[in-house]
Amino acid sequence: MQEPRAFLQRAAAKTRDEEHRLKILKAIDTYTRVVEQRKHTQFRDWRQARQLAARIKDDVLARLPELLQQFEERITARGARVFWAETAAEARQYILDLVARRQARVVVKSKSMTTEEIGLNEALQHAGVDVWESDLGELIVQVAGEKPYHIVTPAMHKNREDVARLFHEKLGAPLTQDVEQLTMIAREHLRHAYVSAEIGITGANFILAEEGAIVMTENEGNGRLTMACPPVHVVLVGLEKVLPSMRELALFLPLLATSGTGQQITCYNSIVRGPRQPGEPDGPEEMHIILLDNGRTELLAQPEFQHVLRCIRCGACLNACPVYRTIGGHTYNTPYQGPIGSVITPHLRGFRQWYHLPFASSLCGACSDVCPVNIDLHHLLLWNRHRAVEREHTAAPGWRLAMKLWAWGMRRRKRIALLRPWLRLGTKLLLPLLPGAQRRRVPSMAEHSFARLWRDHERQKSHF
Amino acid sequence: MSARNRIFEKLRQAMRPASAEALPDVRDADVYRDYPSDPASLFELFKTRLEELRGEVYRVGDEVAASDKVVELADSVGGSVMVQPGEPMASLLPGLAERLCDRLVDAAAVADSADFARVEVGVTAADFLIARTGSVLLRTISSGGRRLSVLPPFHIVVARASQMVPSLEEALNGLKGLSPDWSYAALITGPSRTADIEKILVLGAHGPKRLAVVVVDAA
Ligand code: SF4
C-alpha cells in the first residue's frame, strides 16, 4: 500500500484507541508539568535563552565548512578517524566494513536516532551481528520488535504491564510490575553486553569545533559504558550538530535538558576527544566518527529550510503537538516523528512517498512555541505543503481543480452568490461521504448568506 | 571526488554570508536565574541540588576525616573497593589502603571490564564541583579512567572545597585551562537514573546506583 494511505489507516486506528491515548496523555502531562516549571526556575528569561541559542546555531550554520574542518583536524590529531558519509548507505557500509575488519560478533549501542535514520540495526543483524540496544526505552522497543515511538522517550507507549509481559516472555525474567525491578532486569541483562561487545556505537548531541570533541548527553549511563568498555567506539552524527566550542555547552546542555525532560541538566554529559590516550588507564583503542550528510546539505541550500538544522532533537515539539498526541509516534513510520519529522522527512526521504506528513498538522503553532532553538516549525510545515502541491503530490484526486474553481468563485461577490445554492447542495450531499464523516458532525452551510440577511434586515428597518 | 570533497562542495555552495552582527557576549548570569557566589552558600547550594537528585554530600574538616568517611561509606555497602591510584588520592585519603586491607582491589589487577564485576565501590577524584547544578566534572586522567566512575554500583567522589565553582560556565572555562591530554570528560549530576517506564524515576539504570561526594575543607 502507498505510504500516504497506510498513514491514514494507522492514524484512524490509533485515534480510536483509547488505551493508547490514556498512556500517552499521562506521560506527556507529566512531562509538560515539569518542563514548564523548569523553564521558570532555571532561566531568567526562557525566550531570551532560546533566541540566543538560535543565533548561535545560525552562526554555526553560516560557518559549517570551517568549523567541521577544525573539528576534523583536532580530533584526528588525537588518533580518531573521521569519515564523511554522503548517504545513509555509505554510513552503513563504513560500519559494516569496520565490523568485518574487527571480526565483531557483538555490538552494543546507546540510543541514537541517527542510527535509526540509516537503518543500522537491520543492516548489522543482516550481517549476522548481535546488536544490543542499551538504553532502557530502546531495549524495550527492540525486545518488542518495534521501532522507537518518540525521539527522546522511545517506549512512551508502553506501561509497566506491557514491559513486564515483554521481559517475562522475551527475556525469561520473573513477572513483576515493579518499575524498579524491571529496570534492574534490564541492567543485569545488559551488563555482559558492554563487556563482550567488540564495538560500541553511539550518537552525539553536539560536535565541538574548537576542542575537536563530541558530546553525548544521557541519564542512564549506558552511553558512558558503551564508550568505556568496547575496544572500538563508533560515533554516528549529523554534520549539523556543531557548536563553536565547549563554552556554548553552558547554554545548550541546560537548554536541551529542560526541553527534553524538564531536568536542570541530564545526569551524564560526556565530552569525548578521541580514543584512549597515552597515560590513560582505559578507553577504546579506536574511535571512528561518521559525519552524516544524507540530505542535510540540501536543506541548508534552501533559505526557507536551513533553520531546521538548528534542531537539537529535544522532542518538545512532539509532546506539544495535538496531532502527535492523537495519532501516536508509530503512525508516522519515520525515525523522526511529530512536527520536526514532518518537516524534514520529505526532504530526507523524498516527497513522492512522504508528502502527506506536513498535512498531518493543525498548524496551531504549538511546536514553534516550545522549540528551544526557535524553529518556525509550523511555517515550515506550510512550506512543505506548498512544495507538495507544486509537485502535484496531493491527497485527493481533483483537489487542484476544486481549488481552482474555489479561487475563481471567491474572487467576485457575484460569483459567490451564483455558486451558493450549488455549494449548499454540494456540501450537504458530498461531505457526509468523506472518510470519517460518520464520526464527526458535518458542518452545514447557513440557509441564507450574510449579504442577504443584511439586506432583509435593512428592509425591515425601513418598514418601521 | 571523495564523499568528503563532495560534501564540502555542497556546504560551500549552500553558504550565505553570516549576519555581520557579532554574537552577543552573554554570560551565564544573564540567562540563568541568580545564584549566590560566596563559598559558604555555594556549598549549601551544591548540597541542596545534589540531594534533590538523591546524591549524597558530606563535608569533612580534613584528610583524615575524609578517609574515615570513605571507609564508613564503603562499609555501608560492603564488597570490594577500588581507589584511583596515585595522586591526588594518596594525599586526599591518607591511610585508606591499610584500613580497607583486603577489600581494596588493585587497579593494576583489573584489566578487562569483566573483572570490574567484583568491584562494588569506585573512589575517584574530580576536577570541579558545580554548585548551581550539583554536578561533578571529571576527566579520565584526573579520575582513574573511563570505567571506574561508571561501572561500580557505588561511586564516591573526593574533592577539595576549593574545587567548587558556581556555574557550568566556570567549570568549562576551568576545564580549558587544565592539561589537554585527556580523551574523555564526564559531567556527572546525581546517580544514574531513568524514567523510561511511565516516567517513573528509578536510580541505577546502568551506571552507579549511589553517588556520594566527600568535600574536604582543609586547603
Ligand atoms: S524542532 Fe525544536 S522542539 Fe522539535 S525536536 Fe528540534 S529542537 Fe526540539
Side-chain angles (χ1 to χ4, degrees):
Chain A
M1 196 191 317
Q2 293 285 304
E3 184 57 32
R5 281 200 52 181
F7 176 90
L8 281 178
Q9 289 192 352
R10 288 190 299 265
K14 276 292 171 214
T15 307
R16 272 170 283 170
D17 181 347
E18 296 215 7
E19 194 188 320
H20 167 262
R21 190 176 315 181
L22 286 178
K23 285 181 202 166
I24 297 314
L25 289 188
K26 189 173 162 211
I28 292 184
D29 280 351
T30 315
Y31 162 90
T32 312
R33 212 170 35 242
V34 289
V35 168
E36 287 310 313
Q37 201 177 6
R38 179 66 68 193
K39 284 179 185 169
H40 295 298
T41 53
Q42 164 125 302
F43 294 93
R44 190 185 294 267
D45 185 349
W46 167 253
R47 276 168 313 173
Q48 192 203 11
R50 67 186 206 142
Q51 263 163 23
L52 180 64
R55 284 216 45 196
I56 293 174
K57 283 299 282 190
D58 283 349
D59 179 62
V60 162
L61 294 175
R63 300 197 288 139
L64 263 185
E66 169 202 337
L67 293 174
L68 282 168
Q69 207 156 0
Q70 191 181 28
F71 164 76
E72 183 185 28
E73 270 165 34
R74 307 225 158 142
I75 201 159
T76 312
R78 271 185 306 273
R81 256 177 260 167
V82 175
F83 177 74
W84 299 72
E86 222 179 342
T87 61
E90 285 173 18
R92 277 196 307 267
Q93 196 52 50
Y94 184 82
I95 296 175
L96 288 175
D97 290 346
L98 186 65
V99 163
R101 178 166 66 76
R102 298 287 309 197
Q103 300 183 333
R105 309 190 54 84
V106 182
V107 164
V108 66
K109 282 181 66 199
S110 81
K111 192 173 125 218
S112 150
M113 289 308 129
T114 320
T115 62
E116 294 289 338
E117 179 184 332
I118 68 165
L120 183 61
N121 285 12
E122 293 78 3
L124 286 173
Q125 273 150 10
H126 195 253
V129 180
D130 232 352
V131 184
W132 299 72
E133 287 289 354
S134 59
D135 171 86
L136 176 58
E138 284 281 341
L139 175 73
I140 293 170
V141 291
Q142 188 190 29
V143 171
E146 296 174 13
K147 289 280 176 190
Y149 182 92
H150 184 288
I151 57 175
V152 174
T153 331
M156 189 189 240
H157 61 304
K158 297 245 185 270
N159 62 19
R160 68 184 91 182
E161 286 87 25
D162 301 334
V163 179
R165 221 175 306 120
L166 260 177
F167 282 5
H168 179 63
E169 281 164 18
K170 301 279 172 74
L171 304 182
L175 206 51
T176 169
Q177 308 253 323
D178 183 289
V179 175
E180 184 164 350
Q181 279 182 37
L182 288 169
T183 306
M184 291 311 129
I185 292 169
R187 181 185 170 105
E188 293 319 316
H189 180 69
L190 281 164
R191 278 278 131 165
H192 92 267
Y194 301 119
V195 176
S196 57
E198 291 98 347
I199 298 180
I201 301 180
T202 71
N205 298 87
F206 304 103
I207 294 170
L208 306 180
E210 193 177 313
E211 289 79 14
I214 61 110
V215 179
M216 208 197 87
T217 186
E218 54 158 338
N219 276 310
E220 297 182 3
N222 59 311
R224 291 184 64 197
L225 289 162
T226 305
M227 297 183 279
C229 300
V232 179
H233 176 202
V234 178
V235 184
L236 176 71
V237 57
L239 52 72
E240 83 283 13
K241 295 257 174 110
V242 187
L243 289 179
S245 75
M246 213 146 70
R247 185 172 182 258
E248 281 71 31
L249 290 181
L251 174 62
F252 278 86
L253 292 180
L255 198 75
L256 176 56
T258 300
S259 282
T261 50
Q263 289 172 283
Q264 192 177 21
I265 190 165
T266 53
C267 187
Y268 298 125
N269 288 285
S270 300
I271 306 175
V272 195
R273 301 165 79 226
R276 176 184 187 171
Q277 301 296 297
E280 287 183 322
D282 54 14
E285 306 151 19
E286 286 180 34
M287 182 184 186
H288 301 256
I289 297 117
I290 304 171
L291 294 173
L292 183 68
D293 177 354
N294 202 31
R296 287 162 174 81
T297 47
E298 272 107 66
L299 281 169
L300 191 67
Q302 304 173 63
E304 310 85 27
F305 285 101
Q306 62 170 318
H307 291 169
V308 81
L309 296 178
R310 290 177 194 158
C311 175
I312 53 174
R313 306 277 191 262
C314 71
C317 56
L318 282 64
N319 298 334
C321 179
V323 174
Y324 178 89
R325 289 199 298 245
T326 309
I327 66 176
H330 284 151
T331 297
Y332 291 83
N333 195 23
T334 55
Y336 308 107
Q337 314 83 9
I340 180 65
S342 300
V343 172
I344 61 178
T345 308
H347 297 270
L348 302 185
R349 299 190 158 186
F351 271 81
R352 182 165 296 283
Q353 256 204 81
W354 303 96
Y355 70 83
H356 56 286
L357 292 178
F359 291 90
S361 160
S362 61
L363 298 180
C364 66
C367 45
S368 310
D369 246 16
V370 295
C371 176
V373 285
N374 242 346
I375 302 174
D376 206 356
L377 288 155
H378 67 297
H379 277 107
L380 297 181
L381 288 169
L382 210 51
W383 268 111
N384 269 354
R385 291 188 184 184
H386 181 75
R387 280 289 147 87
V389 175
E390 240 176 26
R391 298 183 190 175
E392 316 219 347
H393 303 300
T394 43
W399 182 261
R400 275 163 76 87
L401 183 67
M403 277 303 172
K404 275 204 181 116
L405 271 175
W406 181 261
W408 177 83
M410 286 297 128
R411 270 199 202 111
R412 293 265 191 290
R413 185 68 195 79
K414 280 218 180 87
R415 288 183 198 155
I416 302 178
L418 199 72
L419 286 174
R420 236 193 94 74
W422 299 103
L423 273 176
R424 204 169 125 73
L425 190 68
T427 46
K428 232 190 201 142
L429 294 178
L430 294 178
L431 283 185
L433 300 179
L434 288 182
Q438 306 90 317
R439 294 189 305 277
R440 294 182 217 180
R441 210 169 30 176
V442 178
S444 62
M445 258 171 90
E447 203 167 327
H448 301 296
S449 72
F450 176 75
R452 160 103 185 261
L453 289 175
W454 185 255
R455 219 167 41 226
D456 292 352
H457 177 74
E458 293 292 302
R459 221 180 265 151
Q460 274 188 3
K461 248 195 338 198
S462 61
H463 283 308
F464 289 108
Chain B
M1 201 161 44
S2 71
R4 181 182 186 279
N5 292 344
R6 276 197 304 273
I7 292 173
F8 262 107
E9 195 44 46
K10 286 201 231 165
L11 285 173
R12 293 220 174 82
Q13 275 170 12
M15 284 304 115
R16 259 164 297 275
S19 119
E21 252 177 287
L23 282 175
D25 184 35
V26 179
R27 311 261 320 158
D28 241 23
D30 301 328
V31 175
Y32 298 110
R33 287 208 173 271
D34 292 331
Y35 43 86
S37 52
D38 62 292
S41 16
L42 279 189
F43 175 80
E44 281 313 312
L45 185 60
F46 177 79
K47 186 168 153 72
T48 313
R49 285 281 182 271
L50 191 48
E51 284 176 353
E52 273 168 11
L53 298 166
R54 310 227 212 133
E56 301 159 39
V57 181
Y58 306 96
R59 186 170 199 168
V60 295
D62 58 18
E63 290 83 352
V64 177
S67 289
D68 290 346
K69 194 72 210 174
V70 170
V71 172
E72 182 193 319
L73 287 169
D75 283 345
S76 70
V77 291
S80 316
V81 182
M82 191 163 139
V83 182
Q84 168 193 344
E87 287 300 338
M89 296 318 262
S91 37
L92 269 173
L93 301 169
L96 187 73
E98 293 82 72
R99 298 186 53 186
L100 288 171
C101 323
D102 53 351
R103 287 176 60 197
L104 197 68
V105 180
D106 184 6
V110 176
D112 67 60
S113 303
D115 287 345
F116 258 100
R118 60 199 171 93
V119 181
E120 280 298 317
V121 186
V123 187
T124 77
D127 290 308
F128 296 101
L129 307 177
I130 303 163
R132 204 174 61 75
T133 52
S135 313
V136 174
L137 181 62
L138 47 81
R139 292 166 301 153
T140 30
I141 52 168
S142 66
S143 58
R146 297 192 190 198
R147 291 174 301 185
L148 186 55
S149 55
V150 69
L151 264 174
F154 187 9
H155 179 202
I156 303 177
V157 176
V158 186
R160 295 192 185 278
S162 56
Q163 291 177 297
M164 184 80 72
V165 294
S167 69
L168 184 54
E169 188 184 36
E170 266 135 300
L172 291 168
N173 274 338
L175 186 59
K176 289 194 85 105
L178 299 175
S179 86
D181 46 354
W182 51 276
S183 71
Y184 179 93
L187 180 67
I188 300 173
T189 312
S192 155
R193 61 197 53 232
T194 184
D196 273 351
I197 304 175
E198 292 189 24
K199 292 259 165 207
I200 295 167
L201 178 70
V202 178
L203 298 184
H206 291 285
K209 298 176 189 177
R210 254 178 99 183
L211 170 73
V213 180
V214 178
V215 183
V216 189
D217 255 332

